[in-house]
Amino acid sequence: MELRPGRAVRALCGLFLLILLVLQHPGRAERAPGSQLDDSAIAAEFCRIDKALCHDEDEQLSFEAVRNIHKQMDDDANGNVDVEESDEFLREDLNYHDPAVKHSTFHGEDKLISVEDLWKAWKTSEVYNWTVDEVVQWLISYVELPQYEETFRKLQLSGHAMPRSVPCQCQCHVNVSAVPRLAVNNATMMGTVLKMTDRSHRQKLQLKALDTVLFGPPLLTRHNHLKDFMLVVSIVIGVGGCWFAYIQNRYSKEHMKKMMKDLEGLHRAEQSLHDLQER
């Protein structure tokens, strides 16, 4: 069908307005391949699930990331993650050979996990309220990527950063929507903002973040104070054992010296007695 000049002008104007909208709101570009209708549907779903936070842009991005994680696990796209789907996800995506404990933690008494269930579990997770220091500790001790500590501190990545885009301070010079999602695979953003040129590092961070979002903080960070206490106790016991061994060794040497002197004196007395008998 031939396109009339008037329609052509309107089409060009519409295209220009669309480009202008994308430039003004780059955060929406991250949500591709979703359309404006998809964004409205996601916003409506979020308001239905969590009306108190649905108007917070950061929380909207967080909800969208949690929703994407749920979609990744929901193979049959029926809106619920059942036992078989979570088991397959744990084995194939997170590489757990024996996922029994994780499986129990994820499902609990509920065999069907909806987006709402996953969102509520995330909000009540200890990780949700992690500070920047706790996230950095997690990065160093659990993810084992200490070379990115400075970047994480500069971007002020708190616990909210685990599943979604994170708040960014002015010095970052990056729009809030352009900050990488940690638990959602976004290689471009991880490479641009976190400066992760190593693909294995990006994959490792994403998998560890995904594990932490779904199952809570790892034991390494959860029992950190207990670990420190046990370490101190072990050091005290070790030092005490070494000191006790040193004292025992010193006592044994002194006892041996004294015994040798006594034996030497006894030998001299015996020799004197023998000389006396000969006389």
Side-chain angles (χ1 to χ4, degrees):
M1 182 177 65
E2 184 180 358
L3 187 63
R4 297 179 181 179
R7 291 185 178 180
V9 172
R10 286 197 295 271
L12 289 174
C13 289
L15 180 61
F16 175 76
L17 289 175
L18 180 61
I19 294 173
L20 183 62
L21 180 64
V22 171
L23 291 175
Q24 289 179 341
H25 302 281
R28 297 300 178 186
E30 189 187 3
R31 299 181 182 185
S35 63
Q36 185 175 359
L37 181 61
D38 294 331
D39 291 338
S40 299
I42 293 172
E45 181 183 6
F46 186 31
C47 285
R48 178 183 61 80
I49 292 174
D50 197 335
K51 191 173 182 180
L53 297 177
C54 70
H55 298 296
D56 187 317
E57 185 177 356
D58 287 344
E59 295 296 345
Q60 288 175 9
L61 294 173
S62 183
F63 173 77
E64 184 178 348
V66 169
R67 188 175 182 271
N68 287 337
I69 294 171
H70 185 275
K71 185 177 180 181
Q72 185 180 351
M73 300 178 71
D74 187 12
D75 291 333
D76 57 12
N78 67 347
N80 290 301
V81 177
D82 58 34
V83 175
E84 291 183 2
E85 288 172 334
S86 61
D87 186 76
E88 182 180 354
F89 180 81
L90 288 171
R91 293 181 187 276
E92 295 183 2
D93 292 70
L94 295 184
N95 300 320
Y96 283 111
H97 300 294
D98 185 17
V101 176
K102 296 289 186 181
H103 194 270
S104 176
T105 302
F106 180 71
H107 277 281
E109 300 297 329
D110 193 353
K111 302 304 179 184
L112 297 175
I113 304 298
S114 64
V115 176
E116 183 174 357
D117 295 331
L118 194 58
W119 172 252
K120 289 180 178 178
W122 162 241
K123 278 186 61 181
T124 57
S125 172
E126 180 184 334
V127 184
Y128 184 82
N129 294 314
W130 267 2
T131 63
V132 175
D133 289 335
E134 288 173 314
V135 172
V136 169
Q137 182 185 357
W138 168 84
L139 175 73
I140 296 172
S141 58
Y142 184 60
V143 187
E144 298 178 345
L145 292 175
Q147 60 268 43
Y148 301 105
E149 176 183 353
E150 183 178 351
T151 304
F152 268 57
R153 291 192 181 279
K154 184 178 180 181
L155 294 174
Q156 291 293 294
L157 302 188
S158 63
H160 285 58
M162 289 294 173
R164 61 161 171 84
S165 304
V166 296
C168 180
Q169 302 300 326
C170 296
Q171 66 267 25
C172 299
H173 302 292
V174 179
N175 186 276
V176 63
S177 299
V179 181
R181 301 168 185 230
L182 299 184
V184 177
N185 191 7
N186 193 328
T188 303
M189 290 298 100
M190 281 193 175
T192 303
V193 183
L194 288 183
K195 311 298 182 184
M196 285 189 174
T197 56
D198 193 322
R199 182 180 178 183
S200 63
H201 288 181
R202 295 197 298 265
Q203 185 179 16
K204 185 177 184 181
L205 176 62
Q206 189 253 331
L207 288 177
K208 295 288 188 180
L210 184 58
D211 180 274
T212 305
V213 168
L214 291 175
F215 309 112
L219 294 177
L220 186 63
T221 54
R222 182 180 295 176
H223 301 294
N224 186 52
H225 296 296
L226 178 61
K227 186 190 77 170
D228 292 342
F229 174 75
M230 293 302 295
L231 180 62
V232 171
V233 171
S234 299
I235 292 174
V236 171
I237 293 175
V239 172
C242 291
W243 178 255
F244 179 77
Y246 170 76
I247 295 298
Q248 287 296 318
N249 184 50
R250 184 176 176 182
Y251 174 77
S252 298
K253 287 182 178 180
E254 291 179 353
H255 185 68
M256 286 294 294
K257 278 185 180 181
K258 184 178 180 182
M259 189 167 58
M260 291 299 293
K261 287 182 179 180
D262 291 342
L263 286 174
E264 187 178 351
L266 183 61
H267 179 70
R268 285 197 299 266
E270 185 179 0
Q271 186 64 37
S272 299
L273 180 60
H274 180 70
D275 294 341
L276 183 61
Q277 286 176 347
E278 287 183 350
R279 289 176 188 173

